[in-house]
Amino acid sequence: MGVKPKIRIGMIGYQFMGKAHSHAYRDLPFYFDNPLEPELTVIAGRNEEAVKEAQQKMGWLSYETDWHRVLARDDVDVIDIVTPNHAHAEIAIAAAEAGKHIITEKPLALTVEESERMLEAVQKNNVKHMICHNYRFVPAVQMAKQLIEQGRIGRIFHFRANYLQDFIIDPNFPLVWRLKKEVSGSGALGDIGAHSIDLARFLVGELKEVTAMMETFVKERPIGEMTGGLSAKGDTSEMGEVTVDDAVAILARFENGTFGTFEATRFAGGNRNKNKFEINGEKGSIRWDMENMNNLEVYLADDETGVQGFRLINCTEEVHPYAGAYWPAGHIIGYEHTFIHLMDEFLRGIHENRQTAPNFEDGVKNQRILAAVEQSAQEKRWVSL
């Protein structure tokens, strides 16, 4: 097969998403014949003890405690940003100016203005860029996209999305960065609602206008910090103000006339990560739930009378997107594989000198919708995009 050229990765950040991205780079060559071989060159974080531990555990060759030094290195081709949201813009703009390709976690930035500056920087410096909306890369979601593009469900009337979690429902859950507007930008809206908005744009089309309501149920929490994944620790002796939304509900009109409804909350007890959507069209319907991510439910109106209804498609056949790279039919894959698919697409784009999606343009459009939702909730009116 010959020796493949290496693509040298520098990652800024190392916790939840750092683990997911590191695993994707390491497993990518095992499943996919990508023309580039990712090298985990350097990982960076402010806490030297923690980042050194992450470097050793996740297989990186070196570590830095200052992200500026990563950008200055000649042995880094790609900057992968998995920091809290407030750091995305500064790092991405500097990386673009240093001539590095960039992939970043979502949402793209804290504000529309920041996101637009990021897009301008990558375009001006002619580097490839991607935003990590990984749910696009679930085989069942890709299958849904194919069915819609084939016209199998006809004109779309409804897009209905719920993203439900419950990890902060305990009022003693600490006040971590995800609950501070100056660090995260928003709460449930930007953390999980942004995913639903991206899936809506990917599957149905652009939004035209929105109206929304938002609520913060717990106004104060003990000061604390994330400890990995969605876990945290805090000190109940000191309290701080929650400055983001706990839940958001959105009505939307799409440019193509589709009627959209969205709900995102981190207060839906019993729902650990229920990211789901249903799409209703003139000739059928599609629905999907991340907690059963390998399955796609499809209803087709032209089925014979008496046997109509939703059928369950287990998207693990070789004919299904990405599934042929893995196991025999019925042997399911998981959350971590969505990142492998995304990284495969990103690195192929770099090798072929083409811009992949979702990218910073998608991130800007998503950011504008997030801002319109917040404006609508504050002003209690419809807001046009």
PDB file of all heavy atoms in Angstrom, residues 85 106-107 184 186-195 245 248 366 370:
ATOM      1  N   ASN A  85     -16.188  27.539  24.840  1.00  0.00           N
ATOM      2  CA  ASN A  85     -16.557  28.314  23.650  1.00  0.00           C
ATOM      3  C   ASN A  85     -15.903  29.689  23.554  1.00  0.00           C
ATOM      4  O   ASN A  85     -15.651  30.184  22.449  1.00  0.00           O
ATOM      5  CB  ASN A  85     -18.079  28.477  23.610  1.00  0.00           C
ATOM      6  CG  ASN A  85     -18.816  27.158  23.711  1.00  0.00           C
ATOM      7  OD1 ASN A  85     -18.239  26.103  23.449  1.00  0.00           O
ATOM      8  ND2 ASN A  85     -20.079  27.192  24.105  1.00  0.00           N
ATOM      9  N   LYS A 106     -18.542  22.942  18.423  1.00  0.00           N
ATOM     10  CA  LYS A 106     -19.651  23.869  18.296  1.00  0.00           C
ATOM     11  C   LYS A 106     -20.065  24.380  19.671  1.00  0.00           C
ATOM     12  O   LYS A 106     -19.721  23.763  20.678  1.00  0.00           O
ATOM     13  CB  LYS A 106     -20.839  23.240  17.575  1.00  0.00           C
ATOM     14  CG  LYS A 106     -21.177  21.792  17.906  1.00  0.00           C
ATOM     15  CD  LYS A 106     -21.395  21.387  19.315  1.00  0.00           C
ATOM     16  CE  LYS A 106     -22.454  22.068  20.140  1.00  0.00           C
ATOM     17  NZ  LYS A 106     -22.387  21.642  21.561  1.00  0.00           N
ATOM     18  N   PRO A 107     -20.797  25.509  19.740  1.00  0.00           N
ATOM     19  CA  PRO A 107     -21.045  26.426  18.634  1.00  0.00           C
ATOM     20  C   PRO A 107     -19.746  27.104  18.212  1.00  0.00           C
ATOM     21  O   PRO A 107     -18.751  27.083  18.946  1.00  0.00           O
ATOM     22  CB  PRO A 107     -22.042  27.427  19.209  1.00  0.00           C
ATOM     23  CG  PRO A 107     -21.755  27.434  20.677  1.00  0.00           C
ATOM     24  CD  PRO A 107     -21.372  26.014  21.011  1.00  0.00           C
ATOM     25  N   SER A 184     -19.674  30.381  27.780  1.00  0.00           N
ATOM     26  CA  SER A 184     -20.374  29.449  26.883  1.00  0.00           C
ATOM     27  C   SER A 184     -21.200  30.133  25.792  1.00  0.00           C
ATOM     28  O   SER A 184     -21.495  29.534  24.771  1.00  0.00           O
ATOM     29  CB  SER A 184     -21.302  28.537  27.704  1.00  0.00           C
ATOM     30  OG  SER A 184     -22.315  29.309  28.328  1.00  0.00           O
ATOM     31  N   SER A 186     -24.342  30.685  25.560  1.00  0.00           N
ATOM     32  CA  SER A 186     -25.724  30.383  25.933  1.00  0.00           C
ATOM     33  C   SER A 186     -25.737  29.026  26.609  1.00  0.00           C
ATOM     34  O   SER A 186     -24.696  28.370  26.721  1.00  0.00           O
ATOM     35  CB  SER A 186     -26.654  30.398  24.710  1.00  0.00           C
ATOM     36  OG  SER A 186     -26.285  29.403  23.769  1.00  0.00           O
ATOM     37  N   GLY A 187     -26.906  28.596  27.053  1.00  0.00           N
ATOM     38  CA  GLY A 187     -27.011  27.339  27.777  1.00  0.00           C
ATOM     39  C   GLY A 187     -27.454  26.185  26.905  1.00  0.00           C
ATOM     40  O   GLY A 187     -26.760  25.782  25.978  1.00  0.00           O
ATOM     41  N   ALA A 188     -28.654  25.662  27.200  1.00  0.00           N
ATOM     42  CA  ALA A 188     -29.187  24.562  26.395  1.00  0.00           C
ATOM     43  C   ALA A 188     -29.273  24.953  24.925  1.00  0.00           C
ATOM     44  O   ALA A 188     -29.079  24.117  24.039  1.00  0.00           O
ATOM     45  CB  ALA A 188     -30.559  24.156  26.918  1.00  0.00           C
ATOM     46  N   LEU A 189     -29.533  26.211  24.647  1.00  0.00           N
ATOM     47  CA  LEU A 189     -29.661  26.674  23.263  1.00  0.00           C
ATOM     48  C   LEU A 189     -28.402  26.375  22.451  1.00  0.00           C
ATOM     49  O   LEU A 189     -28.466  25.729  21.398  1.00  0.00           O
ATOM     50  CB  LEU A 189     -29.956  28.176  23.242  1.00  0.00           C
ATOM     51  CG  LEU A 189     -29.943  28.848  21.865  1.00  0.00           C
ATOM     52  CD1 LEU A 189     -31.003  28.241  20.953  1.00  0.00           C
ATOM     53  CD2 LEU A 189     -30.124  30.351  22.003  1.00  0.00           C
ATOM     54  N   GLY A 190     -27.240  26.843  22.900  1.00  0.00           N
ATOM     55  CA  GLY A 190     -26.016  26.671  22.128  1.00  0.00           C
ATOM     56  C   GLY A 190     -25.343  25.330  22.333  1.00  0.00           C
ATOM     57  O   GLY A 190     -24.645  24.837  21.445  1.00  0.00           O
ATOM     58  N   ASP A 191     -25.574  24.723  23.504  1.00  0.00           N
ATOM     59  CA  ASP A 191     -24.904  23.471  23.822  1.00  0.00           C
ATOM     60  C   ASP A 191     -25.526  22.298  23.064  1.00  0.00           C
ATOM     61  O   ASP A 191     -24.824  21.488  22.457  1.00  0.00           O
ATOM     62  CB  ASP A 191     -24.968  23.234  25.333  1.00  0.00           C
ATOM     63  CG  ASP A 191     -24.097  22.065  25.777  1.00  0.00           C
ATOM     64  OD1 ASP A 191     -23.141  21.728  25.065  1.00  0.00           O
ATOM     65  OD2 ASP A 191     -24.384  21.493  26.843  1.00  0.00           O
ATOM     66  N   ILE A 192     -26.861  22.202  23.095  1.00  0.00           N
ATOM     67  CA  ILE A 192     -27.527  21.080  22.437  1.00  0.00           C
ATOM     68  C   ILE A 192     -28.510  21.534  21.360  1.00  0.00           C
ATOM     69  O   ILE A 192     -28.658  20.874  20.329  1.00  0.00           O
ATOM     70  CB  ILE A 192     -28.215  20.154  23.465  1.00  0.00           C
ATOM     71  CG1 ILE A 192     -29.166  20.927  24.388  1.00  0.00           C
ATOM     72  CG2 ILE A 192     -27.166  19.420  24.285  1.00  0.00           C
ATOM     73  CD1 ILE A 192     -29.871  20.063  25.422  1.00  0.00           C
ATOM     74  N   GLY A 193     -29.172  22.683  21.561  1.00  0.00           N
ATOM     75  CA  GLY A 193     -30.082  23.176  20.533  1.00  0.00           C
ATOM     76  C   GLY A 193     -29.376  23.449  19.220  1.00  0.00           C
ATOM     77  O   GLY A 193     -29.961  23.279  18.134  1.00  0.00           O
ATOM     78  N   ALA A 194     -28.104  23.850  19.290  1.00  0.00           N
ATOM     79  CA  ALA A 194     -27.327  24.110  18.073  1.00  0.00           C
ATOM     80  C   ALA A 194     -27.229  22.865  17.207  1.00  0.00           C
ATOM     81  O   ALA A 194     -27.195  22.946  15.974  1.00  0.00           O
ATOM     82  CB  ALA A 194     -25.937  24.617  18.438  1.00  0.00           C
ATOM     83  N   HIS A 195     -27.166  21.689  17.827  1.00  0.00           N
ATOM     84  CA  HIS A 195     -27.127  20.441  17.070  1.00  0.00           C
ATOM     85  C   HIS A 195     -28.437  20.228  16.295  1.00  0.00           C
ATOM     86  O   HIS A 195     -28.418  19.836  15.125  1.00  0.00           O
ATOM     87  CB  HIS A 195     -26.889  19.255  18.004  1.00  0.00           C
ATOM     88  CG  HIS A 195     -25.456  19.009  18.339  1.00  0.00           C
ATOM     89  ND1 HIS A 195     -24.478  18.809  17.382  1.00  0.00           N
ATOM     90  CD2 HIS A 195     -24.835  18.908  19.544  1.00  0.00           C
ATOM     91  CE1 HIS A 195     -23.321  18.585  17.980  1.00  0.00           C
ATOM     92  NE2 HIS A 195     -23.507  18.649  19.292  1.00  0.00           N
ATOM     93  N   ASP A 245     -29.550  30.043  29.711  1.00  0.00           N
ATOM     94  CA  ASP A 245     -30.839  29.354  29.721  1.00  0.00           C
ATOM     95  C   ASP A 245     -30.683  27.891  30.125  1.00  0.00           C
ATOM     96  O   ASP A 245     -29.712  27.228  29.768  1.00  0.00           O
ATOM     97  CB  ASP A 245     -31.475  29.422  28.328  1.00  0.00           C
ATOM     98  CG  ASP A 245     -30.568  28.842  27.251  1.00  0.00           C
ATOM     99  OD1 ASP A 245     -29.558  29.468  26.903  1.00  0.00           O
ATOM    100  OD2 ASP A 245     -30.877  27.736  26.753  1.00  0.00           O
ATOM    101  N   VAL A 248     -35.096  25.943  26.196  1.00  0.00           N
ATOM    102  CA  VAL A 248     -35.562  26.830  25.136  1.00  0.00           C
ATOM    103  C   VAL A 248     -36.564  26.085  24.277  1.00  0.00           C
ATOM    104  O   VAL A 248     -36.423  24.887  24.037  1.00  0.00           O
ATOM    105  CB  VAL A 248     -34.377  27.344  24.280  1.00  0.00           C
ATOM    106  CG1 VAL A 248     -33.587  26.189  23.670  1.00  0.00           C
ATOM    107  CG2 VAL A 248     -34.840  28.300  23.199  1.00  0.00           C
ATOM    108  N   ASN A 366     -25.555  29.050  11.774  1.00  0.00           N
ATOM    109  CA  ASN A 366     -26.078  28.529  13.030  1.00  0.00           C
ATOM    110  C   ASN A 366     -26.038  29.600  14.109  1.00  0.00           C
ATOM    111  O   ASN A 366     -27.009  29.785  14.870  1.00  0.00           O
ATOM    112  CB  ASN A 366     -25.257  27.302  13.443  1.00  0.00           C
ATOM    113  CG  ASN A 366     -25.909  26.468  14.515  1.00  0.00           C
ATOM    114  OD1 ASN A 366     -26.145  26.935  15.623  1.00  0.00           O
ATOM    115  ND2 ASN A 366     -26.174  25.215  14.204  1.00  0.00           N
ATOM    116  N   LEU A 370     -29.014  31.182  16.513  1.00  0.00           N
ATOM    117  CA  LEU A 370     -28.952  31.252  17.979  1.00  0.00           C
ATOM    118  C   LEU A 370     -29.212  32.677  18.466  1.00  0.00           C
ATOM    119  O   LEU A 370     -29.958  32.891  19.437  1.00  0.00           O
ATOM    120  CB  LEU A 370     -27.583  30.778  18.477  1.00  0.00           C
ATOM    121  CG  LEU A 370     -27.150  29.354  18.135  1.00  0.00           C
ATOM    122  CD1 LEU A 370     -25.774  29.057  18.747  1.00  0.00           C
ATOM    123  CD2 LEU A 370     -28.166  28.334  18.605  1.00  0.00           C
TER     124      LEU A 370
END
